[in-house]
């Protein structure tokens, strides 16, 4: 293998690994399932051309540039003829791929020439792999293997450079000959089947969690969690004299800007005695999952535009300074990562609780459905009174990517879930005469139960917010008594008071409702939001059969709109099934048109090959002819001595093509003696004359030019017999 080829392959090894890594990481980020052949070509072919240009001689560079331009010109001609104007097929992914190609060539070129660059490239690969393992970036799975190739190549190269050895010491050649083995290892590794779920390192995680748990238990005993936090109290008591706190409790990072407040549910209560909320629901029914399934399937029945009514938002919740048995998560929790299972979290009557102790610095990724609750279209959707059917339920299971093998979440379980919700969260609450009169005026003319709740919400927003209300009198010993005391006294209260009144009034209207405690995080457009204990909050949620749980915000000063634009295609609701449009009958004319379309496509593809090929051949012929003419002109311009030297060097080049090249430090006499047995003596007659020309005084020795030409013809004849390809190349490019 020639030194030029070794040098080219050495550089291109780095370039190709960098290119493949960048390409596979880009395609994964762009959401592509695989890389097409065109994408590989757009990324790799420019790097080949650029790498060749850095190693070829000027004449060869010009030829390569010309061939490339001829091919591109041919493609432009084909597309211009087919479209009627000068144009080129535009693909939005073409430009990024070309940028990847150019950037990868520059990176590979620098990496092959600098130890610092190799270390930097390897460090960048380690960072990319770390980000991939953390789920921050998601390349195509095979992208890891060319990335590892960068590290392995850099390590092998550094070993060869720093290894003091004798004999064959060319580190570039060592690396080139080593690459097939590294490539086989990487390709074999990429073909091995690997599990979908990563190794969870359970033994090490248990050891870590155990150690952190001991530390946290000690700290918990020294400074136990306080229940006197605004709005959030695990015992559900409506207290007085509360003060807001700015102590950091959680950190939230979202996949997108939060344009509406985020409600993190902690504890759900179902029974109120006049002073505090209790929790009787201890079932293990997956209430949260049923709720999301009901909401999605309901929208699917109403419209095919799910995002118009609910948008999927991903967040990361990190516990920084919170001691609680509850996992704080949005009510309509669409999905959470597997770390929740590792952290020992279970569902208890709709609550997500830790089965053991909650360690600090727990971080869990969650995804939830955010309702477009203040859009008129959502209002219309809530006015409809229909139950989702099994087809929509199956669609919802598919949207949530739930594989319900045991049927625990099947549509057959849906009626039992609805009956359970009504039984658990409904209550017959008598309303006093004065309060009933006020409510009658408030609800008059309402078209639906949802409209009644929206009116109630707006009415409570006009009331008084009081962080330090008077203590609830002892004679208030029932939900009815609490409603009269709170709504008729005019003293006001904080979120827990309003949420309680709203839940009780919803139940009085025959709607299942529940009291929820957790955190309310204001809308923000920051990457990370610090949640303080002062953001603890309480709010009501009402169950609408066929729609699921809907949260309301009755606390004065806390209401914020949640609205975004809907699709223009949305029309009035219609639940009658629409027949599939029938296909028009096939006619001979349509069949002929289809056949003509296929023929045009086939002709277009053929032209893309034929026309660029013709232009390349034409350019190649012209280049060869011009090159030969220029060489003859240059040869004629030389004087007799210069011409003899030129021809002698050309003969030596032919001998080199025959595998009989002149070695370093070898004299011409020694060279002739060494190869005389391999090449006919008459073809070597020029060597002694060439030696005399080089080492004699100018003008003291005269050699016959025709003698050199004869040697050249003999050597070309031998080359033709032994290696026809090299002979053709020599003739075309003398």
């Amino acid at each position: 293998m020639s030194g030029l080829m070794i040098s080219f392959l050495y550089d291109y090894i780095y370039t190709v690994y960098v290119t493949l890594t960048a390409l596979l990481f880009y395609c994964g980020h762009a959401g592509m399932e695989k890389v097409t052949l065109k994408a590989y070509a757009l990324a790799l072919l420019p790097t080949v051309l650029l790498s060749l240009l850095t190693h070829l001689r000027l004449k060869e560079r010009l030829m390569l540039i010309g061939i490339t331009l001829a091919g591109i010109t041919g493609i432009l001609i084909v597309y211009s003829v087919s479209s009627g104007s000068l144009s080129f097929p535009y693909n939005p992914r073409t430009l990024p791929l070309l940028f990847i190609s150019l950037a990868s060539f520059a990176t590979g070129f620098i990496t092959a020439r600098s130890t610092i660059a190799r270390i930097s490239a390897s460090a960048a690969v380690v960072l990319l792999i770390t980000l991939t393992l953390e789920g921050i970036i998601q390349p195509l799975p095979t992208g890891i293997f060319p990335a590892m190739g960068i590290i392995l190549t850099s390590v092998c190269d550094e070993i060869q450079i720093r290894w003091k050895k004798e004999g064959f010491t060319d580190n570039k050649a060592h690396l080139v000959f080593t690459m097939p083995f590294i490539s086989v290892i990487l390709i074999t590794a990429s073909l091995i089947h690997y599990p979908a779920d990563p190794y969870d390192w359970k033994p090490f995680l248990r050891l870590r969690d155990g150690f952190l748990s001991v530390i946290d238990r000690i700290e918990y005993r020294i400074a136990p969690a306080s229940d006197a936090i605004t709005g959030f109290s695990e015992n559900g008591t409506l207290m007085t004299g509360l003060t807001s706190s700015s102590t950091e409790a959680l950190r939230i990072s979202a996949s997108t800007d939060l344009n509406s407040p985020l409600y993190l549910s902690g504890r759900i209560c179902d029974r109120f005695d006049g002073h505090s909320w209790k929790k009787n629901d201890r079932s293990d029914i997956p209430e949260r999952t049923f709720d999301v399934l009901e909401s999605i399937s309901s929208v699917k029945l109403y419209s095919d535009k799910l995002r118009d009514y609910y948008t999927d938002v991903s967040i990361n919740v990190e516990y920084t300074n919170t001691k609680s048995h509850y996992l704080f998560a949005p009510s309509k929790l669409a999905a959470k990562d597997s770390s929740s299972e590792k952290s020992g979290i279970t569902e208890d009557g709709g609550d997500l609780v830790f089965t053991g102790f909650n360690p600090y610095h727990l971080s869990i990724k969650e995804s939830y459905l955010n309702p477009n609750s203040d859009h008129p279209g959502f209002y219309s959707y809530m006015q409809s009174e229909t139950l989702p059917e099994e087809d929509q339920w199956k669609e919802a299971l598919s949207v949530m990517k739930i594989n319900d093998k045991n049927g625990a979440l099947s549509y057959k379980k849906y009626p039992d879930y609805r009956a359970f919700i009504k039984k658990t969260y409904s209550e017959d609450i008598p309303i006093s005469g004065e309060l009933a009169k006020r409510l009658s005026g408030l609800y008059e003319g309402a078209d639906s139960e949802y409209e009644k709740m929206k009116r109630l919400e707006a009415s409570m927003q006009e009331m008084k917010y009081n962080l330090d209300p008077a203590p609830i009198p002892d004679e208030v010993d029932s939900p009815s008594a609490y409603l009269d005391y709170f709504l008729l006294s005019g003293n006001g209260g904080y979120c827990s008071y309003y949420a309680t009144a709203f839940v009780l009034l919803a139940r009085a209207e025959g709607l299942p409702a529940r009291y929820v405690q957790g955190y309310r995080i204001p809308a923000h457009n920051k990457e990370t939001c610090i949640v303080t204990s002062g953001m603890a909050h309480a709010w009501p949620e009402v169950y609408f059969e066929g729609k699921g749980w809907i949260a309301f915000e009755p606390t004065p000063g806390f209401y914020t709109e949640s609205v975004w634009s809907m699709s223009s295609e949305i029309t009035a609701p219609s639940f009658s099934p629409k027949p599939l449009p029938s296909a028009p009958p096939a006619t001979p004319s349509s069949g002929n048109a289809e056949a003509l379309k296929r023929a045009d496509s086939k002709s277009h593809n053929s032209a893309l090959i034929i026309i660029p090929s013709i232009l390349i051949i034409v350019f190649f012929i012209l280049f060869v002819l011009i090159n030969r003419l220029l060489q003859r002109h240059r040869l004629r311009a030389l004087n007799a001595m210069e011409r003899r030297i030129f021809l002698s060097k050309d003969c030596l080049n032919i001998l080199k093509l025959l595998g009989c090249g002149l070695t370093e430090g070898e004299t011409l006499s020694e060279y002739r003696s060494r190869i005389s047995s391999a090449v006919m003596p008459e073809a070597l007659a020029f060597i002694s004359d060439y030696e005399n020309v080089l080492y004699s005084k100018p003008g003291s020795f005269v050699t016959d030019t025709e003698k050199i030409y004869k040697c050249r013809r003999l050597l070309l004849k031998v080359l033709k017999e032994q290696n026809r390809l090299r002979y053709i190349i020599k003739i075309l490019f003398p």
Side-chain angles (χ1 to χ4, degrees):
M1 190 179 294
S2 67
L4 178 64
M5 182 61 69
I6 290 288
S7 183
F8 163 72
L9 291 176
Y10 175 80
D11 284 349
Y12 196 64
I13 285 168
Y14 284 102
T15 301
V16 74
Y17 278 139
V18 173
T19 305
L20 290 175
T21 300
L23 177 63
L24 292 170
F25 272 75
Y26 163 74
C27 291
H29 175 73
M32 300 168 61
E33 295 183 358
K34 63 178 182 179
V35 185
T36 62
L37 185 60
K38 289 182 179 179
Y40 278 119
L42 283 171
L44 291 173
L45 286 180
T47 62
V48 174
L49 296 175
L50 291 171
S51 297
L52 285 172
L53 287 175
T54 60
H55 292 87
L56 296 176
R57 294 174 297 180
L58 178 61
K59 180 172 63 177
E60 294 161 342
R61 291 177 184 174
L62 292 174
M63 184 182 68
L64 183 61
I65 293 172
I67 289 175
T68 303
L69 293 177
I72 294 174
T73 303
I75 296 173
L76 286 173
I77 291 173
V78 173
Y79 278 102
S80 299
V81 171
S82 61
S83 63
S85 61
L86 184 61
S87 64
F88 194 78
Y90 174 73
N91 188 315
R93 287 178 177 156
T94 300
L95 192 60
L97 291 175
L98 292 176
F99 175 77
I100 286 173
S101 182
L102 295 175
S104 298
F105 164 73
T107 303
F109 185 82
I110 296 172
T111 304
R113 285 161 173 76
S114 169
T115 297
I116 295 176
R118 283 189 283 271
I119 295 173
S120 301
S122 300
V125 168
V126 172
L127 177 61
L128 283 175
I129 294 175
T130 302
L131 294 176
T132 301
L133 294 175
E134 291 294 325
I136 298 175
I137 56 176
Q138 295 180 339
L140 293 179
T142 50
I144 296 297
F145 299 100
M148 291 299 300
I150 297 174
I151 296 178
L152 293 176
T153 302
S154 299
V155 170
C156 289
D157 206 7
E158 286 300 315
I159 290 174
Q160 290 295 331
I161 292 173
R162 299 175 186 279
W163 185 10
K164 295 181 180 180
K165 50 189 178 296
E166 297 178 355
F168 190 64
T169 59
D170 187 353
N171 72 291
K172 292 185 177 181
H174 275 292
L175 185 65
V176 169
F177 293 131
T178 304
M179 273 308 101
F181 300 99
I182 294 179
S183 299
V184 167
I185 292 172
L186 294 173
I187 293 172
T188 303
S190 67
L191 296 176
I192 295 175
H193 176 74
Y194 55 90
D197 296 327
Y199 182 65
D200 55 14
W201 303 92
K202 286 184 178 179
F204 300 98
L205 292 175
R206 289 196 195 101
L207 183 62
R208 182 205 64 182
D209 293 342
F211 175 76
L212 292 176
S213 179
V214 171
I215 300 299
D216 290 342
R217 286 179 185 276
I218 295 173
E219 186 173 357
Y220 190 81
R221 292 182 182 277
I222 296 173
S226 173
D227 287 334
I229 301 175
T230 304
F232 181 76
S233 173
E234 293 189 10
N235 62 23
T237 301
L238 302 187
M239 297 178 288
T240 62
L242 302 182
T243 57
S244 181
S245 171
S246 60
T247 303
E248 180 179 337
L250 307 168
R251 287 195 181 187
I252 304 293
S253 55
S255 60
T256 184
D257 292 346
L258 296 178
N259 297 319
S260 58
L262 169 62
Y263 288 81
L264 295 181
S265 170
R267 184 171 186 257
I268 298 172
C269 299
D270 48 60
R271 285 295 172 263
F272 182 68
D273 61 9
H275 287 263
S276 63
W277 280 95
K278 308 294 182 188
K279 182 178 184 63
N280 293 335
D281 179 13
R282 296 295 181 183
S283 70
D284 58 356
I285 297 175
E287 296 180 32
R288 295 199 179 217
T289 308
F290 266 111
D291 176 44
V292 177
L293 287 172
E294 185 173 24
S295 298
I296 294 176
S297 57
S298 175
V299 172
K300 289 288 185 181
L301 179 66
Y302 183 81
S303 167
D304 60 351
K305 301 291 193 304
L306 176 61
R307 194 196 173 280
D308 286 330
Y309 303 91
Y310 288 99
T311 183
D312 191 354
V313 181
S314 296
I315 60 172
N316 186 76
V317 181
E318 181 183 357
Y319 287 66
T320 55
N321 191 28
T322 297
K323 307 182 186 77
S324 175
H325 296 291
Y326 294 89
L327 171 69
F328 296 100
S331 294
K332 289 195 182 295
L333 190 61
K336 57 183 180 294
D337 70 356
S338 58
S339 64
S340 61
E341 298 177 2
K342 300 172 189 176
S343 303
I345 297 171
T346 186
E347 189 164 348
D348 176 25
D351 296 338
L352 298 176
V353 298
F354 296 99
T355 55
F357 185 76
N358 170 26
Y360 286 157
H361 308 298
L362 173 69
S363 181
I364 292 184
K365 295 177 183 177
E366 301 168 346
S367 178
Y368 69 96
L369 297 181
N370 183 39
N372 194 4
S373 55
D374 292 296
H375 194 285
F378 191 88
Y379 179 87
S380 298
Y381 155 70
M382 289 300 299
Q383 297 283 75
S384 63
E385 296 182 359
T386 55
L387 290 175
E389 299 174 354
E390 188 169 5
D391 290 343
Q392 290 80 39
W393 195 266
K394 290 180 179 178
E395 285 187 60
L397 286 170
S398 177
V399 169
M400 290 186 64
K401 299 179 181 180
I402 294 176
N403 186 7
D404 187 28
K405 293 182 179 180
N406 58 6
L409 297 169
S410 67
Y411 185 75
K412 294 180 180 180
K413 299 289 185 180
Y414 177 45
D416 296 336
Y417 164 74
R418 297 202 313 271
F420 169 79
I421 293 297
K422 291 178 182 179
K423 178 182 177 182
T424 306
Y425 295 101
S426 297
E427 187 178 3
D428 184 15
I429 299 178
I431 300 295
S432 65
E434 184 178 354
L435 184 56
K437 184 179 179 181
R438 292 189 183 186
L439 292 174
S440 177
L442 181 65
Y443 295 152
E444 184 179 2
D447 295 332
S448 65
E449 299 295 343
Y450 180 71
E451 184 176 351
K452 288 182 180 181
M453 295 299 101
K454 293 299 288 184
R455 290 186 182 187
L456 179 60
E457 179 185 50
S459 176
M460 287 189 174
Q461 284 285 333
E462 301 299 324
M463 295 176 66
K464 177 182 176 183
Y465 183 81
N466 186 359
L467 196 60
D468 187 18
I472 300 175
D474 293 338
E475 57 267 23
V476 175
D477 56 359
S478 67
S480 298
Y482 172 81
L483 287 174
D484 287 339
Y485 164 75
F486 177 65
L487 296 176
L488 301 179
S489 68
N491 290 329
Y494 54 90
C495 56
S496 297
Y497 284 73
Y498 285 96
T500 298
F502 194 99
V503 170
L504 297 179
L505 289 176
R507 290 181 176 182
E509 288 297 313
L511 294 171
R514 64 190 185 187
Y515 173 86
V516 185
Q517 295 170 286
Y519 287 93
R520 177 189 179 274
I521 295 91
H524 66 90
N525 56 2
K526 302 175 183 177
E527 292 184 359
T528 302
C529 175
I530 296 177
V531 181
T532 65
S533 56
M535 295 180 186
H537 193 57
W539 64 92
E541 292 182 353
V542 180
Y543 177 76
F544 296 90
E545 193 170 33
K547 304 294 187 296
W549 290 101
I550 300 295
F552 292 86
E553 183 51 270
T555 305
F558 281 75
Y559 182 81
T560 304
E561 278 194 344
S562 175
V563 61
W564 60 87
S565 60
M566 287 190 173
S567 304
S568 58
E569 295 84 358
I570 292 180
T571 58
S574 176
F575 302 100
S576 57
K578 297 180 180 180
L580 292 173
S582 56
T587 62
S589 59
S590 65
N592 291 337
E594 193 66 29
L596 288 173
K597 185 177 179 181
R598 289 196 298 269
D600 289 342
S601 177
K602 184 176 181 180
S603 175
H604 183 270
N605 292 335
S606 300
L608 278 175
I609 298 175
I610 295 172
I611 293 180
S613 299
I614 291 174
L615 289 178
I616 290 173
I617 292 172
V618 170
F619 168 80
F620 182 76
I621 293 172
L622 290 175
F623 184 86
V624 170
L625 290 176
I626 294 172
N627 180 58
R628 291 181 67 87
L629 290 174
L630 289 174
Q631 187 164 359
R632 287 183 181 180
H633 175 74
R634 185 175 61 180
L635 190 61
R636 290 194 190 102
L638 298 176
N639 59 40
M641 183 63 65
E642 291 172 339
R643 187 179 299 118
R644 291 162 189 158
I645 294 175
F646 176 85
L647 291 173
S648 298
K649 288 182 178 180
D650 194 42
C651 289
L652 291 176
N653 288 332
I654 299 173
L655 285 170
K656 186 177 181 180
L657 293 175
L658 287 169
C660 301
L662 186 67
T663 60
E664 187 178 355
E666 189 177 30
T667 65
L668 289 173
S669 297
E670 293 171 342
Y671 173 55
R672 180 174 183 175
S673 300
R674 179 171 62 83
I675 66 173
S676 59
S677 59
V679 183
M680 61 185 70
E682 55 268 29
L684 302 178
F686 76 94
I687 294 180
S688 57
D689 293 345
Y690 180 46
E691 187 175 24
N692 289 329
V693 170
L694 291 177
Y695 301 113
S696 300
K697 293 181 179 181
S700 63
F701 183 82
V702 178
T703 184
D704 186 5
T705 304
E706 183 59 34
K707 179 180 179 181
I708 303 177
Y709 271 118
K710 181 179 179 181
C711 293
R712 184 177 182 274
R713 287 193 292 270
L714 289 173
L715 290 173
L716 286 174
K717 182 179 179 180
V718 175
L719 180 63
K720 181 179 180 180
E721 293 173 354
Q722 293 187 7
N723 195 315
R724 188 171 293 271
L725 177 61
R726 291 186 178 182
Y727 171 77
I728 293 173
I729 294 174
K730 178 61 181 174
I731 293 298
L732 293 176
F733 304 101

